[in-house]
Coordinates of all heavy atoms in Angstrom, one line a residue:
M1 N 4.5 -13.7 -1.5 CA 3.0 -13.5 -1.6 C 2.5 -13.3 -3.0 O 1.9 -12.3 -3.3 CB 2.6 -12.2 -0.8 CG 2.8 -12.4 0.7 SD 2.2 -10.9 1.5 CE 0.7 -11.5 2.2
S2 N 2.9 -14.2 -3.9 CA 2.5 -14.0 -5.3 C 1.1 -14.3 -5.5 O 0.5 -13.6 -6.4 CB 3.4 -15.0 -6.1 OG 3.1 -16.3 -5.7
G3 N 0.4 -15.1 -4.7 CA -1.0 -15.5 -5.0 C -2.0 -14.7 -4.2 O -3.2 -14.7 -4.4
R4 N -1.5 -13.9 -3.2 CA -2.4 -13.2 -2.3 C -2.5 -11.7 -2.7 O -1.5 -11.1 -2.9 CB -2.0 -13.4 -0.9 CG -2.2 -14.8 -0.4 CD -2.3 -14.7 1.1 NE -2.6 -16.0 1.7 CZ -3.8 -16.5 2.0 NH1 -4.8 -15.7 1.8 NH2 -3.9 -17.6 2.5
L5 N -3.7 -11.2 -2.6 CA -3.9 -9.8 -2.8 C -4.0 -9.2 -1.4 O -4.8 -9.7 -0.5 CB -5.2 -9.6 -3.6 CG -5.5 -8.1 -3.9 CD1 -4.5 -7.6 -4.9 CD2 -6.9 -8.0 -4.5
C6 N -3.3 -8.2 -1.1 CA -3.2 -7.6 0.2 C -3.6 -6.1 0.1 O -3.1 -5.4 -0.7 CB -1.8 -7.7 0.8 SG -1.6 -7.2 2.5
C7 N -4.5 -5.7 1.0 CA -4.9 -4.3 1.1 C -4.5 -3.8 2.5 O -4.7 -4.5 3.5 CB -6.4 -4.1 0.9 SG -6.9 -4.5 -0.8
M8 N -3.9 -2.6 2.6 CA -3.5 -2.1 3.9 C -3.8 -0.6 4.0 O -3.8 0.1 2.9 CB -2.1 -2.4 4.2 CG -1.1 -1.8 3.2 SD 0.6 -2.4 3.4 CE 1.1 -1.3 4.7
V9 N -3.9 -0.1 5.2 CA -4.2 1.3 5.5 C -3.0 1.8 6.3 O -2.7 1.2 7.3 CB -5.5 1.5 6.2 CG1 -5.7 3.0 6.4 CG2 -6.7 1.0 5.4
L10 N -2.4 2.9 5.9 CA -1.3 3.5 6.6 C -1.6 4.9 7.1 O -2.4 5.5 6.5 CB -0.1 3.6 5.7 CG 0.4 2.3 5.0 CD1 1.4 2.7 3.9 CD2 1.1 1.4 6.0
R11 N -1.0 5.3 8.2 CA -1.1 6.7 8.6 C 0.2 7.3 8.4 O 1.2 6.8 8.9 CB -1.6 6.8 10.1 CG -1.7 8.2 10.5 CD -2.3 8.5 11.9 NE -2.2 7.4 12.8 CZ -3.1 7.1 13.7 NH1 -4.2 7.9 13.8 NH2 -2.9 6.2 14.6
L12 N 0.2 8.5 7.8 CA 1.4 9.2 7.4 C 1.1 10.7 7.5 O 0.1 11.1 6.9 CB 1.8 8.7 6.0 CG 3.1 9.3 5.4 CD1 4.3 8.9 6.2 CD2 3.2 8.9 4.0
N13 N 1.9 11.5 8.0 CA 1.7 12.9 8.1 C 2.0 13.5 6.8 O 3.1 13.6 6.3 CB 2.6 13.5 9.2 CG 2.3 14.9 9.5 OD1 1.2 15.4 9.1 ND2 3.2 15.7 10.1
I14 N 0.9 14.0 6.1 CA 1.0 14.7 4.8 C 0.5 16.1 5.1 O -0.6 16.4 5.0 CB 0.1 14.0 3.8 CG1 0.3 12.5 3.8 CG2 0.2 14.6 2.4 CD1 -0.7 11.7 3.0
D15 N 1.5 17.0 5.3 CA 1.1 18.4 5.7 C 1.2 19.4 4.6 O 0.7 20.5 4.7 CB 2.0 18.8 6.9 CG 3.5 18.6 6.6 OD1 3.8 18.1 5.6 OD2 4.3 19.0 7.5
C16 N 1.8 19.0 3.4 CA 1.9 20.0 2.4 C 1.8 19.3 1.0 O 1.8 18.1 0.9 CB 3.2 20.8 2.4 SG 4.7 19.8 2.1
Y17 N 1.6 20.1 0.0 CA 1.4 19.5 -1.4 C 2.7 18.8 -1.8 O 2.6 17.9 -2.6 CB 1.0 20.6 -2.3 CG 0.7 20.1 -3.7 CD1 -0.5 19.3 -3.9 CD2 1.5 20.4 -4.8 CE1 -0.8 18.8 -5.1 CE2 1.2 19.9 -6.0 CZ 0.1 19.1 -6.2 OH -0.2 18.6 -7.4
G18 N 3.9 19.3 -1.4 CA 5.1 18.7 -1.8 C 5.2 17.3 -1.2 O 5.7 16.3 -1.9
C19 N 4.8 17.1 0.0 CA 4.8 15.7 0.6 C 3.8 14.8 -0.1 O 4.1 13.7 -0.3 CB 4.4 15.8 2.1 SG 5.5 16.8 3.1
F20 N 2.7 15.4 -0.5 CA 1.6 14.6 -1.2 C 2.2 14.1 -2.6 O 2.1 13.0 -2.9 CB 0.4 15.5 -1.5 CG -0.6 14.9 -2.3 CD1 -1.5 14.0 -1.8 CD2 -0.7 15.2 -3.7 CE1 -2.5 13.4 -2.6 CE2 -1.7 14.6 -4.4 CZ -2.6 13.7 -3.9
R21 N 2.9 15.0 -3.3 CA 3.5 14.7 -4.6 C 4.6 13.6 -4.4 O 4.7 12.7 -5.2 CB 4.0 15.9 -5.3 CG 3.0 16.7 -6.0 CD 3.5 17.8 -6.8 NE 4.9 17.8 -7.1 CZ 5.7 18.9 -7.2 NH1 5.2 20.1 -7.0 NH2 7.0 18.8 -7.4
K22 N 5.4 13.8 -3.4 CA 6.5 12.8 -3.2 C 5.9 11.4 -2.8 O 6.4 10.4 -3.3 CB 7.4 13.3 -2.1 CG 8.7 12.6 -1.9 CD 9.5 13.3 -0.9 CE 10.9 12.7 -0.8 NZ 11.8 13.4 0.1
L23 N 4.9 11.4 -2.0 CA 4.2 10.1 -1.7 C 3.6 9.5 -2.9 O 3.8 8.3 -3.1 CB 3.2 10.4 -0.6 CG 2.4 9.1 -0.2 CD1 3.3 8.1 0.4 CD2 1.3 9.5 0.8
R24 N 2.9 10.3 -3.7 CA 2.3 9.8 -4.9 C 3.3 9.2 -5.9 O 3.1 8.1 -6.4 CB 1.4 10.8 -5.6 CG 0.5 10.3 -6.6 CD -0.3 11.3 -7.3 NE 0.5 11.9 -8.4 CZ 0.6 13.2 -8.7 NH1 -0.1 14.1 -8.1 NH2 1.3 13.6 -9.7
R25 N 4.4 9.9 -6.1 CA 5.5 9.5 -6.9 C 6.1 8.1 -6.4 O 6.4 7.2 -7.2 CB 6.5 10.5 -7.0 CG 7.4 10.4 -8.2 CD 8.4 11.5 -8.4 NE 8.0 12.8 -7.8 CZ 8.7 13.4 -6.9 NH1 9.8 13.0 -6.4 NH2 8.3 14.6 -6.4
T26 N 6.3 8.0 -5.1 CA 6.8 6.8 -4.5 C 5.9 5.7 -4.7 O 6.4 4.6 -5.1 CB 7.1 7.1 -3.0 OG1 7.9 8.2 -2.8 CG2 7.7 5.8 -2.3
L27 N 4.6 5.9 -4.5 CA 3.6 4.8 -4.7 C 3.6 4.3 -6.2 O 3.4 3.1 -6.4 CB 2.3 5.2 -4.2 CG 2.2 5.4 -2.7 CD1 0.8 5.9 -2.3 CD2 2.4 4.1 -1.9
L28 N 3.6 5.3 -7.1 CA 3.5 4.9 -8.5 C 4.7 4.2 -9.0 O 4.7 3.4 -9.9 CB 3.3 6.2 -9.3 CG 1.9 6.9 -9.2 CD1 1.9 8.2 -10.0 CD2 0.9 6.0 -9.7
N29 N 5.9 4.4 -8.3 CA 7.1 3.7 -8.7 C 7.2 2.3 -8.2 O 8.1 1.5 -8.6 CB 8.3 4.5 -8.3 CG 8.5 5.7 -9.2 OD1 8.1 5.7 -10.4 ND2 9.2 6.7 -8.7
M30 N 6.4 1.9 -7.2 CA 6.4 0.6 -6.7 C 5.6 -0.3 -7.6 O 4.4 -0.1 -7.7 CB 5.8 0.6 -5.3 CG 6.7 1.2 -4.2 SD 6.0 1.0 -2.6 CE 6.8 2.2 -1.7
K31 N 6.2 -1.3 -8.2 CA 5.6 -2.2 -9.2 C 4.5 -3.1 -8.5 O 3.6 -3.5 -9.2 CB 6.6 -3.0 -9.9 CG 7.5 -2.1 -10.8 CD 8.6 -2.9 -11.4 CE 9.4 -1.9 -12.2 NZ 10.7 -2.4 -12.5
E32 N 4.7 -3.5 -7.3 CA 3.8 -4.5 -6.7 C 2.5 -3.9 -6.3 O 1.5 -4.6 -6.0 CB 4.5 -5.1 -5.4 CG 4.8 -4.2 -4.3 CD 6.3 -3.7 -4.4 OE1 6.9 -3.9 -5.4 OE2 6.7 -3.1 -3.4
I33 N 2.4 -2.5 -6.2 CA 1.1 -1.9 -5.9 C 0.2 -1.7 -7.1 O 0.6 -1.2 -8.1 CB 1.4 -0.5 -5.2 CG1 2.2 -0.7 -3.9 CG2 0.1 0.3 -5.0 CD1 2.5 0.6 -3.2
E34 N -1.0 -2.2 -7.0 CA -2.0 -2.1 -8.1 C -2.8 -0.8 -8.0 O -3.1 -0.2 -8.9 CB -2.9 -3.4 -8.1 CG -2.1 -4.6 -8.4 CD -3.0 -5.9 -8.3 OE1 -4.2 -5.7 -8.1 OE2 -2.4 -7.0 -8.5
T35 N -3.3 -0.5 -6.8 CA -4.2 0.7 -6.6 C -3.7 1.3 -5.3 O -3.3 0.7 -4.3 CB -5.7 0.3 -6.5 OG1 -5.9 -0.5 -5.4 CG2 -6.2 -0.3 -7.8
H36 N -4.0 2.6 -5.2 CA -3.7 3.4 -4.0 C -4.7 4.5 -3.9 O -5.2 5.0 -4.9 CB -2.2 3.9 -4.0 CG -1.9 5.0 -5.0 ND1 -1.6 4.7 -6.2 CD2 -2.0 6.3 -4.9 CE1 -1.4 5.8 -6.9 NE2 -1.6 6.8 -6.1
L37 N -4.9 5.0 -2.7 CA -5.8 6.1 -2.4 C -5.1 6.9 -1.3 O -4.8 6.4 -0.2 CB -7.2 5.6 -2.0 CG -8.2 6.7 -1.5 CD1 -8.5 7.6 -2.7 CD2 -9.4 6.1 -0.9
I38 N -4.9 8.2 -1.5 CA -4.3 9.1 -0.6 C -5.4 10.0 0.0 O -5.9 10.8 -0.8 CB -3.1 9.9 -1.2 CG1 -2.1 8.9 -1.8 CG2 -2.5 10.8 -0.1 CD1 -1.0 9.6 -2.6
E39 N -5.6 9.9 1.3 CA -6.6 10.8 1.9 C -5.8 11.9 2.7 O -5.3 11.6 3.8 CB -7.5 10.1 2.8 CG -8.3 9.0 2.1 CD -9.1 8.1 3.1 OE1 -9.4 8.6 4.2 OE2 -9.4 7.0 2.8
K40 N -5.6 13.0 2.1 CA -4.8 14.1 2.6 C -5.3 14.6 4.0 O -4.5 14.9 4.9 CB -4.6 15.2 1.6 CG -3.5 16.2 1.9 CD -3.4 17.2 0.8 CE -2.4 18.2 1.1 NZ -2.2 19.2 0.1
Q41 N -6.6 14.9 4.0 CA -7.2 15.5 5.2 C -7.1 14.5 6.5 O -6.9 15.0 7.6 CB -8.7 15.8 5.0 CG -8.9 16.9 3.9 CD -8.2 18.2 4.2 OE1 -8.2 18.6 5.4 NE2 -7.6 18.9 3.3
Q42 N -7.3 13.2 6.2 CA -7.2 12.3 7.3 C -5.8 11.7 7.6 O -5.6 10.9 8.5 CB -8.2 11.1 7.1 CG -9.6 11.4 7.2 CD -10.2 12.0 5.9 OE1 -9.7 11.8 4.9 NE2 -11.3 12.8 6.1
C43 N -4.9 12.1 6.7 CA -3.5 11.6 6.8 C -3.4 10.1 6.7 O -2.7 9.4 7.4 CB -2.8 12.1 8.1 SG -2.6 13.9 8.1
K44 N -4.2 9.5 5.8 CA -4.2 8.1 5.6 C -3.9 7.7 4.1 O -4.3 8.5 3.2 CB -5.6 7.5 6.0 CG -5.9 7.6 7.4 CD -7.2 6.9 7.7 CE -7.5 7.0 9.2 NZ -8.8 6.3 9.5
V45 N -3.3 6.6 4.0 CA -3.0 6.1 2.6 C -3.5 4.6 2.6 O -3.2 3.8 3.4 CB -1.5 6.1 2.4 CG1 -1.2 5.6 1.0 CG2 -0.9 7.5 2.5
S46 N -4.3 4.3 1.6 CA -4.8 2.9 1.3 C -4.1 2.4 0.1 O -4.0 3.0 -0.9 CB -6.3 2.9 1.1 OG -7.0 3.5 2.2
V47 N -3.5 1.2 0.3 CA -2.7 0.5 -0.8 C -3.2 -0.9 -1.0 O -3.4 -1.6 0.0 CB -1.2 0.5 -0.4 CG1 -0.4 -0.2 -1.4 CG2 -0.7 1.9 -0.2
C48 N -3.4 -1.3 -2.2 CA -3.8 -2.7 -2.6 C -2.8 -3.2 -3.6 O -2.4 -2.5 -4.5 CB -5.2 -2.8 -3.1 SG -6.4 -2.5 -1.8
G49 N -2.5 -4.5 -3.5 CA -1.7 -5.1 -4.5 C -1.1 -6.4 -4.0 O -1.4 -6.8 -2.9
R50 N -0.2 -7.0 -4.8 CA 0.5 -8.2 -4.4 C 1.8 -7.8 -3.7 O 2.8 -7.6 -4.4 CB 0.7 -9.1 -5.6 CG -0.5 -9.5 -6.2 CD -0.3 -10.6 -7.3 NE -1.5 -10.9 -8.1 CZ -2.7 -11.0 -7.7 NH1 -3.1 -10.9 -6.5 NH2 -3.7 -11.3 -8.6
L51 N 1.7 -7.6 -2.4 CA 2.8 -7.0 -1.7 C 3.0 -7.5 -0.3 O 2.1 -8.2 0.2 CB 2.6 -5.5 -1.6 CG 1.2 -5.0 -1.1 CD1 1.2 -4.8 0.4 CD2 0.8 -3.7 -1.8
R52 N 4.1 -7.3 0.3 CA 4.3 -7.5 1.7 C 4.2 -6.2 2.4 O 4.9 -5.2 2.1 CB 5.7 -8.1 1.9 CG 5.8 -9.5 1.4 CD 7.2 -10.1 1.6 NE 7.5 -10.1 3.1 CZ 8.7 -10.3 3.6 NH1 9.7 -10.4 2.8 NH2 8.9 -10.3 4.9
P53 N 3.3 -6.1 3.4 CA 3.0 -4.8 4.1 C 4.2 -4.2 4.7 O 4.4 -3.0 4.6 CB 1.9 -5.2 5.1 CG 1.3 -6.4 4.6 CD 2.3 -7.2 3.8
S54 N 5.1 -5.0 5.3 CA 6.2 -4.4 6.0 C 7.2 -3.8 4.9 O 7.8 -2.8 5.2 CB 7.0 -5.5 6.8 OG 7.3 -6.6 5.9
D55 N 7.3 -4.4 3.8 CA 8.2 -3.9 2.7 C 7.7 -2.5 2.2 O 8.5 -1.6 2.0 CB 8.4 -4.9 1.6 CG 9.1 -6.1 1.9 OD1 9.8 -6.1 3.0 OD2 9.1 -7.1 1.1
V56 N 6.4 -2.4 2.0 CA 5.9 -1.2 1.5 C 6.0 -0.1 2.6 O 6.5 1.1 2.2 CB 4.4 -1.3 1.2 CG1 3.7 0.0 0.8 CG2 4.2 -2.3 0.0
A57 N 5.8 -0.4 3.8 CA 5.9 0.6 4.9 C 7.4 1.1 5.0 O 7.7 2.3 5.2 CB 5.4 0.1 6.2
I58 N 8.3 0.2 4.9 CA 9.8 0.5 5.0 C 10.2 1.4 3.8 O 10.9 2.3 4.0 CB 10.6 -0.8 5.1 CG1 10.4 -1.4 6.4 CG2 12.1 -0.5 4.8 CD1 11.0 -2.8 6.5
K59 N 9.7 1.0 2.6 CA 10.1 1.8 1.4 C 9.5 3.3 1.5 O 10.3 4.2 1.2 CB 9.5 1.2 0.1 CG 10.3 0.0 -0.3 CD 9.7 -0.6 -1.6 CE 10.4 -1.8 -2.0 NZ 9.9 -2.4 -3.3
I60 N 8.3 3.4 2.0 CA 7.7 4.7 2.1 C 8.5 5.5 3.2 O 8.8 6.7 3.1 CB 6.2 4.6 2.5 CG1 5.4 4.1 1.2 CG2 5.7 6.0 2.9 CD1 4.0 3.8 1.5
R61 N 8.8 4.8 4.3 CA 9.6 5.5 5.4 C 10.9 6.0 4.9 O 11.3 7.1 5.2 CB 9.8 4.4 6.5 CG 10.8 4.8 7.6 CD 10.2 5.8 8.5 NE 11.2 6.0 9.6 CZ 12.1 7.0 9.7 NH1 12.2 7.8 8.6 NH2 12.9 7.1 10.7
K62 N 11.6 5.2 4.1 CA 12.9 5.6 3.6 C 12.8 6.7 2.6 O 13.6 7.7 2.7 CB 13.6 4.4 3.0 CG 14.2 3.4 4.0 CD 15.0 2.3 3.3 CE 15.5 1.4 4.4 NZ 16.3 0.3 3.8
K63 N 11.8 6.7 1.7 CA 11.7 7.8 0.7 C 11.2 9.1 1.3 O 11.7 10.1 1.0 CB 10.7 7.3 -0.4 CG 11.2 6.2 -1.2 CD 12.2 6.6 -2.2 CE 12.5 5.4 -3.1 NZ 13.4 5.8 -4.2
M64 N 10.2 9.0 2.2 CA 9.6 10.2 2.8 C 10.3 10.7 4.0 O 10.1 11.9 4.4 CB 8.2 9.9 3.2 CG 7.3 9.5 2.0 SD 6.8 10.8 1.0 CE 5.9 11.8 2.1
N65 N 11.1 9.9 4.7 CA 11.8 10.3 5.9 C 10.8 10.8 7.0 O 11.0 11.8 7.7 CB 12.9 11.3 5.7 CG 13.8 11.4 6.8 OD1 14.0 10.5 7.6 ND2 14.5 12.6 6.9
R66 N 9.7 10.0 7.0 CA 8.6 10.3 8.0 C 8.1 9.0 8.7 O 8.3 7.9 8.1 CB 7.4 11.0 7.3 CG 7.7 12.4 6.9 CD 6.5 12.9 6.1 NE 6.8 14.3 5.7 CZ 6.4 15.4 6.4 NH1 5.7 15.3 7.5 NH2 6.7 16.5 5.9
R67 N 7.5 9.1 9.8 CA 7.0 8.0 10.5 C 5.8 7.4 9.8 O 4.9 8.1 9.5 CB 6.7 8.3 12.0 CG 6.4 7.1 12.8 CD 6.1 7.5 14.2 NE 4.7 7.8 14.2 CZ 4.1 8.7 15.1 NH1 4.8 9.3 15.9 NH2 2.8 8.9 15.0
V68 N 5.8 6.1 9.6 CA 4.7 5.4 8.9 C 4.1 4.4 9.9 O 4.8 3.6 10.5 CB 5.2 4.7 7.7 CG1 4.0 3.9 7.0 CG2 5.7 5.7 6.7
E69 N 2.8 4.5 10.1 CA 2.1 3.6 11.0 C 1.1 2.7 10.2 O 0.2 3.3 9.5 CB 1.4 4.4 12.1 CG 0.7 3.6 13.1 CD 0.0 4.5 14.2 OE1 0.3 5.7 14.2 OE2 -0.8 3.9 14.9
I70 N 1.2 1.4 10.4 CA 0.2 0.5 9.7 C -1.0 0.4 10.6 O -0.9 -0.1 11.7 CB 0.9 -0.9 9.5 CG1 2.1 -0.8 8.6 CG2 -0.2 -1.8 8.9 CD1 2.8 -2.1 8.4
L71 N -2.2 0.8 10.1 CA -3.4 0.8 10.8 C -4.2 -0.5 10.6 O -4.7 -1.1 11.6 CB -4.3 2.0 10.4 CG -3.7 3.4 10.7 CD1 -4.7 4.4 10.2 CD2 -3.4 3.5 12.2
E72 N -4.2 -1.0 9.4 CA -5.0 -2.2 9.1 C -4.4 -2.9 7.9 O -3.9 -2.3 7.0 CB -6.4 -1.7 8.7 CG -7.4 -2.8 8.4 CD -8.8 -2.2 8.0 OE1 -9.1 -1.0 8.4 OE2 -9.5 -2.9 7.4
I73 N -4.5 -4.3 8.0 CA -4.0 -5.1 6.9 C -5.1 -6.2 6.6 O -5.6 -6.8 7.5 CB -2.7 -5.9 7.3 CG1 -1.6 -4.9 7.6 CG2 -2.3 -6.8 6.1 CD1 -0.3 -5.5 8.1
N74 N -5.5 -6.3 5.4 CA -6.5 -7.3 4.9 C -5.9 -8.1 3.8 O -5.5 -7.6 2.8 CB -7.8 -6.6 4.4 CG -8.5 -5.9 5.5 OD1 -8.5 -6.3 6.6 ND2 -9.2 -4.8 5.1
E75 N -5.8 -9.4 4.0 CA -5.3 -10.3 3.0 C -6.5 -11.0 2.4 O -7.3 -11.6 3.0 CB -4.3 -11.3 3.6 CG -3.0 -10.7 4.0 CD -2.0 -11.8 4.4 OE1 -2.2 -13.0 4.0 OE2 -1.1 -11.5 5.1
V76 N -6.5 -10.9 1.0 CA -7.6 -11.5 0.3 C -7.0 -12.5 -0.7 O -6.1 -12.2 -1.4 CB -8.4 -10.4 -0.5 CG1 -9.6 -11.1 -1.3 CG2 -8.9 -9.3 0.4
E77 N -7.5 -13.7 -0.6 CA -7.0 -14.7 -1.6 C -7.5 -14.5 -2.9 O -8.7 -14.2 -3.1 CB -7.4 -16.2 -1.1 CG -6.6 -17.2 -1.8 CD -6.6 -18.5 -1.1 OE1 -6.7 -18.6 0.1 OE2 -6.6 -19.5 -1.8
D78 N -6.7 -14.6 -3.9 CA -7.1 -14.4 -5.3 C -8.1 -15.4 -5.8 O -8.1 -16.5 -5.4 CB -5.8 -14.5 -6.2 CG -6.0 -13.7 -7.5 OD1 -7.0 -12.9 -7.6 OD2 -5.2 -13.9 -8.4
E79 N -9.0 -15.0 -6.7 CA -10.1 -15.8 -7.2 C -9.6 -17.0 -8.0 O -10.1 -18.1 -7.9 CB -11.1 -15.0 -8.0 CG -11.8 -14.0 -7.3 CD -12.7 -13.1 -8.2 OE1 -12.8 -13.4 -9.4 OE2 -13.3 -12.1 -7.7
Q80 N -8.5 -16.8 -8.7 CA -8.0 -17.9 -9.5 C -7.4 -19.0 -8.6 O -7.6 -20.2 -8.9 CB -6.9 -17.4 -10.5 CG -7.4 -16.5 -11.6 CD -6.3 -15.9 -12.4 OE1 -5.2 -15.9 -12.1 NE2 -6.7 -15.3 -13.5
T81 N -6.7 -18.6 -7.6 CA -6.1 -19.6 -6.7 C -7.2 -20.4 -5.9 O -7.1 -21.5 -5.7 CB -5.1 -19.0 -5.7 OG1 -5.7 -18.0 -5.0 CG2 -3.9 -18.5 -6.4
E82 N -8.3 -19.7 -5.6 CA -9.5 -20.3 -5.0 C -10.1 -21.4 -5.9 O -10.4 -22.5 -5.5 CB -10.5 -19.3 -4.6 CG -10.4 -18.7 -3.3 CD -11.5 -17.7 -3.0 OE1 -12.7 -18.0 -3.4 OE2 -11.3 -16.8 -2.2
Q83 N -10.2 -21.0 -7.2 CA -10.8 -22.0 -8.1 C -9.9 -23.2 -8.3 O -10.4 -24.3 -8.4 CB -11.1 -21.3 -9.4 CG -12.2 -20.3 -9.4 CD -12.4 -19.5 -10.7 OE1 -11.6 -19.6 -11.6 NE2 -13.5 -18.7 -10.7
N84 N -8.6 -23.0 -8.3 CA -7.6 -24.1 -8.5 C -7.7 -25.0 -7.3 O -7.6 -26.2 -7.4 CB -6.2 -23.5 -8.7 CG -6.0 -22.9 -10.1 OD1 -6.9 -23.1 -11.0 ND2 -5.0 -22.1 -10.2
Q85 N -7.9 -24.5 -6.1 CA -7.9 -25.3 -4.9 C -9.2 -26.1 -4.9 O -9.3 -27.2 -4.5 CB -7.9 -24.4 -3.6 CG -6.5 -23.9 -3.4 CD -6.4 -23.0 -2.2 OE1 -7.4 -22.7 -1.6 NE2 -5.2 -22.6 -1.8
I86 N -10.3 -25.5 -5.4 CA -11.6 -26.2 -5.4 C -11.6 -27.4 -6.4 O -12.0 -28.5 -6.1 CB -12.8 -25.2 -5.7 CG1 -12.9 -24.3 -4.6 CG2 -14.1 -26.0 -6.0 CD1 -13.9 -23.1 -4.9
T87 N -11.0 -27.1 -7.6 CA -11.0 -28.2 -8.6 C -9.8 -29.2 -8.3 O -9.8 -30.2 -9.0 CB -10.8 -27.6 -10.0 OG1 -9.6 -26.8 -10.0 CG2 -12.0 -26.7 -10.3
G88 N -8.9 -28.8 -7.4 CA -7.8 -29.8 -7.1 C -6.6 -29.7 -8.0 O -5.8 -30.6 -8.1
Q89 N -6.4 -28.6 -8.7 CA -5.3 -28.4 -9.6 C -4.2 -27.7 -8.8 O -4.2 -26.9 -8.0 CB -5.7 -27.6 -10.8 CG -6.7 -28.3 -11.6 CD -7.1 -27.4 -12.8 OE1 -6.7 -26.3 -12.9 NE2 -7.9 -28.0 -13.7

């Protein structure tokens, strides 16, 4: 998925500040993730980047040792690849 930008929303039980810090550290160490948003009260994590959703969920599951549920996945085609397809390159 090198040309596609993917945004996804995950549900993950974040019950303490230690879990929050561990999740944040895990997300920051993943190179394919460009932006992330952790909503502690709603137990949701939003992640955007050039990634495979299943790989990110598996990595978080292994690091956190908690159940991860994928709620939503949005794939957005990159603007540069759109322009290349329009011009025929």
Side-chain angles (χ1 to χ4, degrees):
M1 289 186 110
S2 60
R4 290 205 179 263
L5 183 68
C6 186
C7 295
M8 60 187 277
V9 180
L10 304 166
R11 182 173 22 213
L12 178 69
N13 190 14
I14 308 167
D15 53 356
C16 64
Y17 186 68
C19 297
F20 175 81
R21 280 189 11 218
K22 192 172 186 179
L23 176 62
R24 193 181 85 218
R25 197 172 340 119
T26 302
L27 292 173
L28 289 173
N29 286 334
M30 290 186 199
K31 294 176 182 161
E32 61 266 11
I33 294 177
E34 294 175 7
T35 60
H36 69 275
L37 174 67
I38 302 172
E39 300 174 25
K40 190 175 175 184
Q41 298 297 323
Q42 288 83 24
C43 295
K44 290 185 181 179
V45 179
S46 300
V47 176
C48 290
R50 300 189 190 314
L51 50 90
R52 290 183 58 199
S54 59
D55 290 348
V56 172
I58 290 169
K59 283 181 185 179
I60 293 172
R61 165 78 172 92
K62 285 184 178 179
K63 295 280 186 178
M64 298 285 295
N65 198 22
R66 290 178 181 262
R67 193 179 82 210
V68 176
E69 184 179 343
I70 299 175
L71 297 178
E72 181 181 340
I73 300 173
N74 293 327
E75 288 189 20
V76 181
E77 192 163 329
D78 201 14
E79 293 175 7
Q80 291 176 347
T81 55
E82 270 184 31
Q83 290 175 352
N84 288 344
Q85 288 177 354
I86 292 171
T87 58
Q89 295 178 353

